[in-house]
Amino acid sequence: MIRINAVLATILVVCALALVTSQHNARKLFATSMIAAACAVPAAFLLSATASADPAPTPPIPAMPNIPFLSGLSPANAPAM
């Protein structure tokens, strides 16, 4: 029984070390890719044709056909008594 416990404890320690090592490698790879992406973004903007183009014009404001009618209903335009 002691042998089985020792073997299982050893397997547990090896699995825990493998997990920690894989997480460390993943974090290191993620940090490296984020640094590379951060350096690549300004270069991508400089090389992009759409990034250096003029912005799109703003759409025209639609006409409101009922403005005279609504301003006639306003109490400010009511005749004095």
Side-chain angles (χ1 to χ4, degrees):
M1 192 67 164
I2 294 175
R3 245 185 229 169
I4 293 174
N5 286 340
V7 169
L8 290 176
T10 304
I11 291 172
L12 179 68
V13 168
V14 168
C15 288
L17 286 173
L19 177 67
V20 169
T21 303
S22 67
Q23 286 179 345
H24 173 70
N25 289 339
R27 275 192 209 106
K28 196 162 75 170
L29 181 62
F30 178 72
T32 304
S33 65
M34 291 305 285
I35 290 170
C39 292
V41 168
F45 276 136
L46 289 175
L47 297 175
S48 172
T50 57
S52 62
D54 292 332
T58 57
I61 298 173
M64 299 183 71
N66 293 331
I67 290 294
F69 173 72
L70 291 175
S71 47
L73 295 176
S74 168
N77 294 336
M81 290 190 167

